[in-house]
Amino acid sequence: AQATPRFRSIELSALEYGDIADNKADPGLYARSRPENLQDCDAFVSHSWHDDPQVKWAALQRWRKNFLAAHGREPRVWLDKCCIDQSNIERDLRCLPVFLSGC
């Protein structure tokens, strides 16, 4: 009951390289995500905040380009850095199984 109203997504076109270039929490990213209906999110993106940001960005952009070609629209994704409220991480971490099933 708690997870459904907390489920969020962000359109990949709303992200810039700098948004994922570091491993620091940014509450502004959460503000750019939006509430989403379960099953209306295109992908659950799991990553390490310590991975090479250039490699991560390139992979996201390749996937985005393929998605755009196949579906004719921007993909909406659940990405932890954007869709978990970094000021209350524990509450959203308990919801991860539902968040994963919502994509």
Side-chain angles (χ1 to χ4, degrees), residues 26-40:
D26 179 356
L29 289 175
Y30 183 78
R32 290 188 352 223
S33 69
R34 72 169 195 206
E36 186 68 81
N37 294 319
L38 293 173
Q39 307 305 315
D40 287 347

Side-chain angles (χ1 to χ4, degrees), residues 57-72:
W57 182 252
L60 281 171
Q61 293 308 307
R62 272 193 311 276
W63 184 81
R64 177 179 170 237
K65 179 182 173 185
N66 291 336
F67 187 95
L68 279 164
H71 300 279

Side-chain angles (χ1 to χ4, degrees), residues 32-103:
R32 290 188 352 223
S33 69
R34 72 169 195 206
E36 186 68 81
N37 294 319
L38 293 173
Q39 307 305 315
D40 287 347
C41 180
D42 299 306
F44 182 97
V45 179
S46 179
H47 69 104
S48 168
W49 286 27
H50 301 287
D51 286 343
D52 181 317
Q54 291 176 333
V55 172
K56 189 178 349 185
W57 182 252
L60 281 171
Q61 293 308 307
R62 272 193 311 276
W63 184 81
R64 177 179 170 237
K65 179 182 173 185
N66 291 336
F67 187 95
L68 279 164
H71 300 279
R73 65 175 177 82
E74 286 289 339
R76 296 202 61 81
V77 301
W78 184 95
L79 178 65
D80 63 354
K81 193 170 184 181
C82 305
C83 298
I84 287 180
D85 181 356
Q86 300 297 317
S87 66
N88 195 345
I89 294 172
E90 289 300 316
R91 180 175 55 184
D92 281 351
L93 287 180
R94 288 191 300 267
C95 301
L96 279 180
V98 175
F99 293 168
L100 178 58
S101 72
C103 296

